Amino acid sequence: MKGKILPYLFIVFISLHAIPALSQKETWNWYFGNNAGLSFSSGTPVPLPGGMTHTLEGTSVMSDANGALLFYTDGITVWNRNHAVMLNGGGLLGDMSSTQSALIIPKPLNDSLYFIFTVAAFAHPQGMCYSVVNLKADGGLGAVITKNVAMVTPVCEGLTAVKNCNGQDYWVVTRQFNGTEFYSWKVSSSGISNIPVRSATTNYIGNPFLLGTDAI
């Protein structure tokens, strides 16, 4: 939503790396906006050149345990560490005007597979989907090997993740549109749970222009 980009800029920055359980180095590199980038490797944000994003809102970036860039996405396109479009890395069903268009989660106990979760803007029918990246493909530059697997629709634009209490798995969470529930999927070494945990609240969301304030 173009009108909310300035009021929610801080929220977008925070949501760029909504994986608090990863070590700090995995979140050292940020790419967002129009070719913008920041490195936090020195402890102070420093401009980072080379980014290929052209987006109004949420992005997601993944680096390795040493802080080296692996890949990043705006929810539509996936770029590899060389800032080239990853093999099969176009056409994801996020949106440049979705608050958190994409979220990257590593598959637990796996050194090469990553899930990219996406949500559409304005409660559009694409809803929430996931795609899978294999970093060992294309000579180590990675490839999208599964794309746009439907999860639930319609949903709000918010998307986040938290570490499971077992210290290994993750919970990926979004918010129902035209309803009162949060949806939570467990991500484990077995993959993504087929059925989400549904948690009811008293707050009903039925206006797409409120998604930025009432979503996650």
Side-chain angles (χ1 to χ4, degrees):
M1 300 176 189
K2 295 180 181 178
K4 71 184 183 190
I5 182 62
L6 291 179
Y8 296 99
L9 184 58
F10 178 73
I11 295 174
V12 172
F13 281 139
I14 294 299
S15 62
L16 283 169
H17 300 283
I19 314 176
L22 293 177
S23 68
Q24 291 297 315
K25 293 182 181 181
E26 279 96 340
T27 62
W28 267 2
N29 302 301
W30 291 19
Y31 291 101
F32 56 95
N34 292 326
N35 304 115
L38 290 173
S39 170
F40 290 84
S41 60
S42 67
T44 301
V46 175
L48 192 62
M52 298 300 294
T53 60
H54 290 275
T55 186
L56 294 172
E57 303 191 43
T59 66
S60 192
V61 186
M62 182 58 63
S63 301
D64 67 18
N66 296 313
L69 176 67
L70 295 177
F71 66 101
Y72 58 103
T73 180
D74 59 1
I76 302 169
T77 304
V78 186
W79 292 273
N80 63 31
R81 65 175 184 265
N82 293 333
H83 305 289
V85 176
M86 184 176 283
L87 187 66
N88 197 33
L92 274 64
L93 295 180
D95 193 283
M96 70 178 298
S97 190
S98 179
T99 304
Q100 186 55 36
S101 179
L103 178 64
I104 302 168
I105 297 291
K107 185 176 182 179
L109 303 182
N110 191 294
D111 63 356
S112 59
L113 296 182
Y114 293 80
F115 297 108
I116 301 176
F117 296 90
T118 59
V119 287
F122 300 101
H124 283 172
Q126 296 93 327
M128 181 175 174
C129 301
Y130 76 86
S131 300
V132 183
V133 168
N134 184 348
L135 274 183
K136 290 185 177 179
D138 195 22
L141 292 175
V144 178
I145 59 172
T146 302
K147 188 183 295 184
N148 297 327
V149 178
M151 299 179 71
V152 64
T153 190
V155 295
C156 297
E157 295 182 2
L159 182 61
T160 192
V162 295
K163 196 77 167 183
N164 189 291
C165 61
N166 65 13
Q168 175 179 294
D169 303 330
Y170 298 89
W171 288 98
V172 175
V173 186
T174 193
R175 177 67 190 264
Q176 180 184 33
F177 178 74
N178 275 339
T180 64
E181 293 183 325
F182 285 94
Y183 299 115
S184 303
W185 286 265
K186 187 177 181 180
V187 180
S188 69
S189 59
S190 299
I192 302 167
S193 56
N194 292 324
I195 301 174
V197 175
R198 302 175 66 160
S199 305
T201 72
T202 58
N203 186 11
Y204 178 88
I205 296 180
N207 182 342
F209 296 102
L210 296 177
L211 294 181
T213 54
D214 286 356
I216 295 171

